[in-house]
Amino acid sequence: MTTSTTKTTAPAAEQRGIVPLPAPFARLLVAVGAVATIASTFLAWTWDSEFPGDLTVTGYPAGLQTLALVAGALTLLYALAGYGIRGLGWLNPGGSNNPVLLAAFSAFAVVWYTAIAISYDLGGLANLEPGAVVAAVASLLPVVGALALPHPGRSLRDHIAKPDGIPAAAPLPSWAQRLIISLATALGLVVFTYGIGVNDEESETFIGLLLLVLFGSMALFAAGLFERFTELNARHKGFATTAVFLAAVIFPFTQSEDHNANLGANILIFGTVALGLNIVVGLTGLLDLGYVAFLGVGAYAAALVSGSEFSRFSGVQVPFWAAALIGMGASLVFGVIIGAPTLRLRGDYLAIVTLGFGEIFRITVNNLDGGSGPNLTNGPNGISQIPDLEIFGFNLGAAHDIAGRTIGRFGNYLFLMLLITALIVLVFNRAANSRIGRSWIAIREDETAATAMGINGFRVKLIAFALGASLAGLAGTVFAHVNYSVVPSPFQFAGAAPPNSAFLLAAVVLGGMGTVSGPLLGASLLYLIPEKLSFLKEYELFGFGVALILLMRFRPEGIVANRRSQLEFHETGQLDVPEQGLPDTTVGVTKAEA
Amino acid sequence: MTTTIAPSPVLEASGVTMRFGGLTAVRNVDLTVNSGEIVGLIGPNGAGKTTFFNCLTGLYVPTEGKVSYKGTVLPPKPHLVTQAGIARTFQNIRLFANMTVLENVLVGRHTRTKEGLWSALLRGPGFKKAEAKSRERAMELLEFIGLQHKADHLARNLPYGEQRKLEIARALASEPGLLLLDEPTAGMNPQETRATEELVFAIRDMGIAVLVIEHDMRFIFNLCDRVTVLMQGEKLVEGTSDVVQGDERVIAAYLGEPFEGAPGDEEVAEVEAAAAAAEGADASPEAGDAPAAPADEAPAGTPEAETEDAETASPEADAQGKTRTEGDSQ
């Protein structure tokens, strides 16, 4: 893993950077600027402690300054790696200058965003202490320096893209590979914990974190580290999955506030529902716009048998395993009822019909209040006061002391959801890598050809639809208990707060269709960002739209690309063109023909 | 019109008619394919060959007529037809582009395996055994077509010729008794065409009857035991290569019939006279016109002449073809 970067950059050295500076000087400029940025985070940036994070203290960094410090350190590391210092070569296996630029830009973005936010929030540039000015200048230097370094071309793409042909990593002992996976997972946990721990009032810090994570991960991607890491992950699949679940188990212990565990539990609920939708949309290619109805069916089914006094069957209280089975069963039945007549349709027609059924569900439960219909769901008031679950004598509503930490109500539900997530991930993986999973993908790729290969399209699609529905129903049973009550309003197509079908669909598409980690990642991003940026709440749907448009333009395969896993470390020299290289149009044409 | 009545027909189509509204695409076509036979289906563009194929494989429900496979009448559902033992390829390649080569063939095994959702979720020993067996069989097929080294490539990254082969392998994976090939050599260079020819013979030797649509006459007449000609949805003639090649109606279908009273003759005579005159007189004004006239005539040349041209130009064409396929693959 110690590829010398100076050697690999040498041939590209004829290409001058945009800023006309000699390369050695530029490199020095980056390093000096990075050091200065790090130093400046120890200064006071403003005098008013009103600004979130309290950046008034000279001596140690706080809030956004910590983020600037991390970005500065990243820049410094890449600057030093550019000098070919032994032991840092692994940082930049691709050997291009793009990661330096992106890292420098992450520091620049965080610092300048902070300075602008301070001036805006507190009313004027006068609120900036000299420390902020130092930081602003210091963070600009590495960007200028990095722009002076040679890049393959002049376009934006040449400055941010990952070079082709990342050399294979030097073979490491197995324990070292596992250690790297563990460290990366720990890093992920730290970032996630930091993000979720940001006070809801401190949107500024969260935006700073987003900037850092966005540009920082772009830098790591451009360096080729993501590629190598995916390779490692694929090699130690079981270990990597275990590490991620362990990290998720550790998470509640790191939180002093139960509120954050609530966010975690909700993320897992929506993540698992998105994973269920991924079977329908990502694997089978059926656009289901009313999927949230199945979550609702599961939630209502669980609420009805929960023993709540507002339930129609208020005397009935069944254990959780039975409630989960009832929820899944009810969703399954609804899935088949809705799927059987609609799955004969293709494409847009199916989308419209499922959209209609989703709305019908919401309107129906709204009206089953005894007035306009039989009393089953208590109408718009919903079923409230759902008691907490008790599993094997373990009351999920009460706080428990585990290993010296108090795990509150939401922490308990987080653990329960983790078990369910593990189950759903297992189901997804096993179903996808089997005869039935292959036939789903075949139907997504070309339904006519799939039927000509002997696949009973309708049957196979119905299985996907029913499986997706029952997984959503399972998540719905927990959803009902976590939120104390079930009301019809969240189960709509698009709304301000999740769950709604648009949210779930956006999570799948944004995260990456057909992958396991994609929808989970998408759901956490889409849930956390509006949660932490309270001023964005009214613009959430607008934000979804913008995010999806940008994504479709720049990364149509989603954040987590769905490549067949073997291909990633298969050195065949083939071009793996992302989705746009697909002869999609011809497929459409031939479909129309046959 | 059938020439021979063989002891074991694999496919029997009788009176197949397909109407789209007022248009009759296929009219009352009978076709029999016997075991161990390669039957060709030719006809000019728009003759209804692919429509007839779609009727055979259940993609279309024929308006009239019935199709039976080894004596049992086929239901008009594509997946049931495949299950019964008829596999097909498509005129425009329809692989599962984002699946690997191996997965494409594994999808072809769908009807010959039974594992459902539950066994996939529980992953019992039966599931693993069936999966391993499917993989083994798929790899055998990939070896048969010579793509085993590309098993993990995405299908869309294969060069054109290999995609065609993969489609055949995918069809073979369903262990068919009859294979329907829809223009298997379209867009191939002569060498690839020859390779396909050998592949089809090898498939026949495996005991699979083959029905093939093709426009490449050399390919068809080399390959097929019998050839059926469709023309405007109707069966024109059926017989061995020689019979079909010699049939005037077939030539007429492909080249057009001479007009009544031969209106072109006068012009031809005129041109010939002019040419003779030009030869006689050294520097006559007609000399300018004379060479132009035969050039006009050239497009009406026989197809044999054209294929001959293609044949002589083949070395260069091969080289070009190769670079082109390489270019396509990227």
Side-chain angles (χ1 to χ4, degrees):
Chain A
M1 270 231 190
T2 49
T3 337
S4 166
T5 47
T6 40
K7 263 181 212 158
T8 40
T9 45
E14 299 93 41
Q15 280 278 352
R16 296 288 302 274
I18 288 181
V19 179
L21 283 174
F25 179 70
R27 216 170 273 287
L28 187 67
L29 194 65
V30 176
V32 169
V35 172
T37 310
I38 293 172
S40 73
T41 60
F42 289 87
L43 300 172
W45 284 11
T46 177
W47 52 268
D48 194 338
S49 59
E50 279 290 289
F51 189 78
D54 190 7
L55 313 181
T56 59
V57 188
T58 304
Y60 65 87
L64 279 159
Q65 290 173 324
T66 328
L67 300 173
L69 174 69
V70 173
L74 189 67
T75 318
L76 184 61
L77 279 176
Y78 272 104
L80 293 180
Y83 278 114
I85 290 176
R86 274 189 85 77
L88 288 181
W90 62 272
L91 269 175
N92 195 357
S96 84
N97 286 319
N98 296 357
V100 184
L101 177 65
L102 284 163
F105 195 79
S106 73
F108 169 78
V110 171
V111 171
W112 281 65
Y113 165 73
T114 312
I116 292 168
I118 290 174
S119 331
Y120 180 77
D121 282 7
L122 302 177
L125 289 169
N127 295 295
L128 295 175
E129 286 274 324
V133 179
V134 173
V137 175
S139 65
L140 186 59
L141 294 180
V143 176
V144 174
L147 281 177
L149 289 173
H151 289 279
R154 286 281 146 129
S155 69
L156 177 66
R157 202 185 165 72
D158 292 324
H159 285 84
I160 62 171
K162 174 176 75 75
D164 291 332
I166 304 286
L172 279 174
S174 179
W175 62 266
Q177 296 183 358
R178 282 158 193 250
L179 186 67
I180 292 173
I181 292 176
S182 312
L183 289 177
T185 315
L187 179 69
L189 177 64
V190 167
V191 172
F192 183 75
T193 315
Y194 185 88
I196 211 170
V198 171
N199 197 319
D200 283 4
E201 307 300 307
E202 300 179 358
S203 323
E204 287 84 354
T205 315
F206 194 77
I207 293 181
L209 178 71
L210 284 183
L211 288 173
L212 173 62
V213 169
L214 175 66
F215 291 111
S217 38
M218 277 170 83
L220 297 184
F221 179 79
L225 286 183
F226 274 34
E227 190 174 313
R228 284 192 167 178
F229 185 68
T230 334
E231 212 171 292
L232 268 187
N233 253 342
R235 214 174 296 154
H236 301 275
K237 215 165 179 180
F239 181 78
T241 321
T242 322
V244 170
F245 272 101
L246 265 183
V249 170
I250 293 170
F251 168 73
F253 292 99
T254 65
Q255 299 299 311
S256 48
E257 280 183 72
D258 208 24
H259 171 63
N260 291 341
N262 180 21
L263 297 184
N266 271 313
I267 286 175
L268 283 183
I269 290 174
F270 300 136
T272 48
V273 181
L275 206 51
L277 179 62
N278 200 13
I279 292 178
V280 180
V281 175
L283 291 182
T284 324
L286 308 168
L287 184 53
D288 185 349
L289 296 180
Y291 188 68
V292 80
F294 301 124
L295 179 73
V297 171
Y300 266 100
L304 283 173
V305 296
S306 67
S308 155
E309 55 180 295
F310 291 95
S311 153
R312 183 81 173 80
F313 317 106
S314 56
V316 182
Q317 181 166 15
V318 300
F320 175 66
W321 62 266
L325 284 183
I326 291 172
M328 282 177 80
S331 289
L332 180 83
V333 168
F334 269 76
V336 172
I337 289 175
I338 292 177
T342 55
L343 286 175
R344 299 176 195 278
L345 301 174
R346 283 189 188 186
D348 303 348
Y349 302 103
L350 178 70
I352 290 168
V353 171
T354 52
L355 175 66
F357 270 110
E359 289 297 291
I360 286 172
F361 167 75
R362 184 173 61 85
I363 295 165
T364 307
V365 294
N366 219 357
N367 286 326
L368 291 180
D369 57 354
S372 34
N375 185 8
L376 184 63
T377 63
N378 215 7
N381 297 326
I383 300 167
S384 51
Q385 289 185 22
I386 297 173
D388 277 307
L389 288 172
E390 201 169 307
I391 302 176
F392 302 125
F394 184 91
N395 185 358
L396 274 81
H400 294 269
D401 282 329
I402 302 174
R405 295 295 298 235
T406 309
I407 301 297
R409 175 178 186 270
F410 292 115
N412 296 329
Y413 279 109
L414 180 66
F415 285 136
L416 176 64
M417 268 321 294
L418 264 178
L419 285 179
I420 290 178
T421 310
L423 177 75
I424 292 183
V425 167
L426 191 75
V427 166
F428 183 93
N429 267 335
R430 289 196 160 179
N433 294 317
S434 69
R435 171 174 173 268
I436 192 97
R438 284 193 296 269
S439 56
W440 287 337
I441 301 172
I443 284 190
R444 180 191 72 195
E445 293 291 313
D446 187 336
E447 190 167 344
T448 306
T451 52
M453 287 307 115
I455 294 171
N456 184 343
F458 175 69
R459 186 190 147 88
V460 166
K461 284 196 285 185
L462 192 62
I463 291 175
F465 212 71
L467 180 65
S470 46
L471 294 184
L474 175 60
T477 54
V478 183
F479 179 75
H481 287 277
V482 171
N483 290 324
Y484 301 109
S485 66
V486 191
V487 289
S489 58
F491 306 111
Q492 54 192 344
F493 170 65
N500 50 63
S501 295
F503 171 90
L504 297 171
L505 204 60
V508 172
V509 176
L510 202 74
M513 290 200 280
T515 61
V516 173
S517 44
L520 293 174
L521 184 69
S524 14
L525 281 178
L526 289 181
Y527 187 76
L528 263 192
I529 291 175
E531 195 68 34
K532 292 297 173 188
L533 307 181
S534 39
F535 67 92
L536 255 182
K537 272 227 160 113
E538 301 149 42
Y539 301 104
E540 193 181 318
L541 283 175
F542 175 72
F544 280 0
V546 172
L548 282 177
I549 291 171
L550 288 179
L551 197 83
M552 288 304 116
R553 171 64 189 80
F554 294 106
R555 201 172 161 77
E557 66 270 39
I559 298 172
V560 182
N562 172 33
R563 294 191 196 154
R564 319 300 283 164
S565 50
Q566 316 97 304
L567 285 170
E568 307 210 315
F569 44 90
H570 214 85
E571 278 165 12
T572 47
Q574 59 176 327
L575 279 173
D576 220 352
V577 196
E579 305 302 309
Q580 68 245 31
L582 252 175
D584 265 336
T585 44
T586 53
V587 170
V589 168
T590 48
K591 245 180 210 162
E593 274 174 22
Chain B
M1 267 199 212
T2 38
T3 45
T4 48
I5 291 141
S8 61
V10 180
L11 176 86
E12 279 175 299
S14 55
V16 173
T17 301
M18 183 74 212
R19 289 195 196 92
F20 299 103
L23 176 82
T24 308
V26 176
R27 191 190 311 253
N28 201 16
V29 175
D30 300 324
L31 184 76
T32 310
V33 180
N34 297 314
S35 58
E37 229 183 359
I38 303 177
V39 176
L41 186 61
I42 61 173
N45 286 324
K49 303 183 295 292
T50 299
T51 308
F52 182 61
F53 251 43
N54 287 344
C55 290
L56 294 184
T57 53
L59 275 178
Y60 293 156
V61 183
T63 326
E64 281 163 36
K66 65 172 185 159
V67 181
S68 52
Y69 173 78
K70 290 189 176 165
T72 45
V73 176
L74 288 173
K77 291 262 190 223
H79 64 273
L80 295 178
V81 170
T82 312
Q83 195 163 18
I86 298 183
R88 71 169 293 177
T89 66
F90 291 88
Q91 184 176 0
N92 21 36
I93 301 173
R94 303 186 79 154
L95 288 169
F96 307 120
N98 285 317
M99 298 177 89
T100 65
V101 168
L102 180 65
E103 283 171 327
N104 266 282
V105 182
L106 284 174
V107 170
R109 298 265 319 151
H110 189 90
T111 49
R112 300 296 168 239
T113 44
K114 290 281 172 286
E115 282 63 43
L117 182 64
W118 283 114
S119 79
L121 295 184
L122 298 175
R123 296 267 149 129
F127 175 84
K128 283 178 186 150
K129 221 166 117 190
E131 195 79 341
K133 198 176 156 230
S134 277
R135 261 164 216 279
E136 194 187 331
R137 180 86 187 99
M139 282 310 291
E140 275 170 27
L141 281 171
L142 286 181
E143 252 165 71
F144 175 67
I145 58 160
L147 278 182
Q148 70 276 23
H149 59 289
K150 289 193 170 177
D152 288 340
H153 284 229
L154 286 189
R156 65 156 183 240
N157 289 339
L158 291 186
Y160 182 82
E162 291 181 353
Q163 291 197 359
R164 283 256 177 234
K165 278 190 194 165
L166 177 57
E167 240 200 342
I168 294 176
R170 186 180 67 175
L172 287 177
S174 66
E175 293 168 12
L178 171 69
L179 182 63
L180 307 183
L181 300 173
D182 199 344
E183 297 199 22
T185 70
M188 282 187 173
N189 65 33
Q191 274 156 347
E192 287 171 323
T193 306
R194 228 160 290 140
T196 310
E197 217 170 278
E198 270 152 38
L199 187 64
V200 176
F201 278 130
I203 291 168
R204 198 259 317 264
D205 294 344
M206 288 160 72
I208 299 169
V210 180
L211 176 62
V212 52
I213 292 180
E214 190 47 75
H215 280 299
D216 186 335
M217 293 304 149
R218 194 174 296 271
F219 177 78
I220 280 284
F221 292 131
N222 277 346
L223 199 64
C224 298
D225 304 316
R226 274 186 305 127
V227 177
T228 300
V229 185
L230 278 190
M231 166 77 182
Q232 289 176 354
E234 282 177 279
K235 188 156 87 173
L236 200 63
V237 62
E238 180 177 339
T240 59
S241 302
D242 298 332
V243 172
V244 171
Q245 267 173 304
D247 195 288
E248 271 177 26
R249 287 168 300 173
V250 177
I251 297 168
Y254 271 91
L255 306 179
E257 294 168 46
F259 283 110
E260 282 303 318
D265 285 358
E266 280 175 36
E267 280 93 333
V268 172
E270 232 173 76
V271 167
E272 271 166 9
E279 250 169 54
D282 275 335
S284 67
E286 289 114 318
D289 298 354
D296 284 348
E297 212 177 29
T302 59
E304 276 94 340
E306 276 175 37
T307 44
E308 221 97 306
D309 283 351
E311 199 63 14
T312 48
S314 68
E316 290 155 59
D318 288 354
Q320 280 172 357
K322 262 185 195 164
T323 48
R324 205 185 316 123
T325 44
E326 272 163 22
D328 286 347
S329 68
Q330 289 177 0

